Amino acid sequence: MKIKLFFILLTVFFINTKAQDYIFGKVISEDNAEIPGVTVINIRTDERVPTNRDGHFMISGRSGDELRFVKNGYERANRKITNDNISAPVNITLIKAATLIAEVEIKKEITGDIKIDSKNLNAPRKVQKLKNDLAIYMSRRSDPSVLAPRPGEFVQPGHQRGILIRKN
């Protein structure tokens, strides 16, 4: 009888020590707004749950576990669970992460002075002439003699303008 009672008490004690508790809490931003869709991860068990639309979550865990809170646009937060956290809600505040913006190019604005504006808005005459000369050169057709094979070069049969391979 004493042995049976001992095993029953031992079993109840073992179940109580290994039982999972549930950890409740709420995730808010730095301006006290609820954040929905935050992934709450129990590092020990790798259990993942999202917060609801009010920022509340419920995840299984016990004292000594570590919870991680992850959301795009916010810095990650970790919280170690203690006996106090199991009996009371865990409130987490996530801080917005700094975002990089693309490079901004600042151009000169029109001042109203024709001399200054004509210099800033129009390219110099030399640059305009060079661009015009390049456009004329690029629009011309190449001379066929330039593309013709030279003596000693191999031309792939069937192609007049093919890959030229020079024999040594």
Side-chain angles (χ1 to χ4, degrees):
M1 179 72 178
K2 288 183 180 182
I3 293 175
K4 285 183 184 180
L5 183 60
F6 175 72
F7 280 117
I8 291 173
L9 289 174
L10 185 64
T11 305
V12 170
F13 178 75
F14 181 74
I15 290 173
N16 283 337
T17 58
K18 293 297 179 181
Q20 289 285 323
D21 290 319
Y22 285 97
I23 303 162
F24 299 91
K26 185 174 183 178
V27 181
I28 59 173
S29 66
E30 41 196 351
D31 56 352
N32 292 330
E34 295 95 3
I35 307 175
V38 176
T39 304
V40 182
I41 306 167
N42 185 333
I43 302 295
R44 181 182 59 83
T45 63
D46 201 33
E47 180 183 358
R48 298 163 186 253
V49 295
T51 59
N52 66 7
R53 61 187 172 137
D54 296 327
H56 292 96
F57 68 92
M58 179 178 81
I59 190 167
S60 62
R62 61 181 182 211
S63 181
D65 287 355
E66 185 174 357
L67 300 182
R68 178 171 291 158
F69 301 86
V70 180
K71 171 90 172 160
N72 281 342
Y74 292 90
E75 293 182 8
R76 288 183 179 179
N78 290 343
R79 175 68 60 93
K80 191 85 168 176
I81 300 303
T82 62
N83 287 331
D84 297 336
N85 298 129
I86 292 175
S87 60
V90 177
N91 294 319
I92 299 294
T93 303
L94 292 183
I95 299 170
K96 286 196 175 193
T99 55
L100 297 176
I101 59 171
E103 181 178 334
V104 178
E105 181 180 334
I106 300 174
K107 295 185 177 184
K108 293 185 178 180
E109 295 183 17
I110 297 175
T111 62
D113 187 55
I114 294 178
K115 289 182 181 179
I116 295 173
D117 291 342
S118 64
K119 288 180 183 177
N120 291 337
L121 299 176
N122 298 327
R125 289 182 184 163
K126 290 182 181 180
V127 173
Q128 288 177 348
K129 184 178 182 328
L130 179 62
K131 286 182 180 179
N132 290 338
D133 291 345
L134 282 172
I136 292 169
Y137 176 77
M138 296 299 282
S139 65
R140 290 187 196 157
R141 292 191 61 143
S142 298
D143 185 23
S145 64
V146 172
L147 299 175
R150 296 184 188 105
E153 289 181 337
F154 172 77
V155 178
Q156 188 173 5
H159 296 281
Q160 291 181 354
R161 293 181 186 164
I163 300 173
L164 302 176
I165 301 172
R166 192 169 285 229
K167 290 184 178 180
N168 290 335

